[in-house]
Each structure stands twice: as C-alpha cells, then as structure tokens.
Amino acid sequence: MFGNNSRGVNAYAKVGLETGVSAASPHKLIVMLYDGALAAIATASVQMGAGNIQEKGKAISKAIQIIDNGLRASLDKEVGGEIAANLDALYEYMSSRLLHANINNDQQALEEVRGLLADLRDTWNQIGGNAGAANKTQPAAFASM
C-alpha cells in the first residue's frame, strides 16, 4: 500500500551520512573511513562464510576502495615523511591481502587486515583524544581534507 519502505530508509540513511561527512572534522573523516573499511570486511567475512561469492566480492572491493581511494589518497607524503611512507606501504599491503582473501576465500587474511585497521583506528582515536575536542586538524601525514 505504501510502496517500498527500504527505499525511504535508505534515502534517510544517505542524507544522514552526507550530513555527517559535511559536518565532520578531518580527524573524524579518517575515523569514518576506518569504520567503513572495517564494516565492509565484517560483511565480507559473513558472506564468505555463507558461500555468497558475489556479495563477498562486493564487500572486499568496497574495503579496498576505501583503503586505496580514501586512506591512501589522504596521505601527504611530502609533509608526512617516513610516517606517511610507512602508512602508504601498510595500506598497499592491506589491499593486497584483501585481494588474496577474495581470490582464495581466506578468512585469516580478512582477519589480519581487520586487526591492522582496528589497531590503526584505535591509535587514530587516541591521537584525536589527546589533541583535544577543539582541535580540528590531523597529523601532517594526512593531506588537508
């Protein structure tokens, strides 16, 4: 009688996400990228366990895109020096491991990347907490967003 409710819910969620992104500090945007990659890996793990190859592939591809086009792209290698170079290499490694996980249905590789991302996210949150709520900047390793 009222049509597809999921369309309305999805539209509302998209507006909420877009509003959150536009209002977020550069620090919060990085946290959102970590959260998105972690959520995609969790979905991939569930889909891998269920034998749903197509959805597993979509979720892993999403995680790789977030890592490569979000986290890696936000690095400022000139200003960030060795830290940015090390993060870039780590992100490249994570993308490679996710590709391996996708091709080989390797849950351990997914878990390895999940653990690395979770550690980085926790560290990133500690940096933000120590910088104070009023500080809207990020370390020099990341380009201005």
Side-chain angles (χ1 to χ4, degrees):
M1 175 176 175
F2 291 105
N4 187 348
N5 282 338
S6 67
R7 243 184 355 178
V9 170
N10 288 338
Y12 182 76
K14 184 177 179 188
V15 168
L17 176 62
E18 289 171 357
T19 302
V21 168
S22 66
S25 69
H27 182 273
K28 179 64 177 165
L29 290 173
I30 298 297
V31 172
M32 292 172 79
L33 289 170
Y34 283 130
D35 287 345
L38 287 165
I41 290 170
T43 299
S45 181
V46 168
Q47 296 302 330
M48 186 182 289
N52 190 339
I53 295 169
Q54 183 176 1
E55 293 303 313
K56 172 204 69 171
K58 282 183 190 178
I60 290 175
S61 292
K62 182 177 180 178
I64 291 171
Q65 287 177 358
I66 291 169
I67 291 168
D68 287 347
N69 300 327
L71 294 167
R72 280 186 83 188
S74 68
L75 293 172
D76 187 335
K77 294 173 193 150
E78 289 180 24
V79 176
E82 187 177 346
I83 293 172
N86 289 341
L87 282 171
D88 185 57
L90 183 58
Y91 292 146
E92 182 178 0
Y93 172 78
M94 284 189 245
S95 292
S96 173
R97 292 297 289 155
L98 288 172
L99 183 60
H100 166 86
N102 194 22
I103 292 169
N104 297 293
N105 284 323
D106 187 342
Q107 284 280 5
Q108 288 182 322
L110 283 181
E111 180 56 29
E112 176 188 6
V113 175
R114 189 213 56 78
L116 291 168
L117 285 169
D119 288 347
L120 287 171
R121 183 191 186 282
D122 291 346
T123 301
W124 189 249
N125 276 329
Q126 289 174 357
I127 291 168
N130 291 336
N135 188 349
K136 299 290 185 190
T137 62
Q138 71 274 350
F142 289 88
S144 296
M145 297 183 108

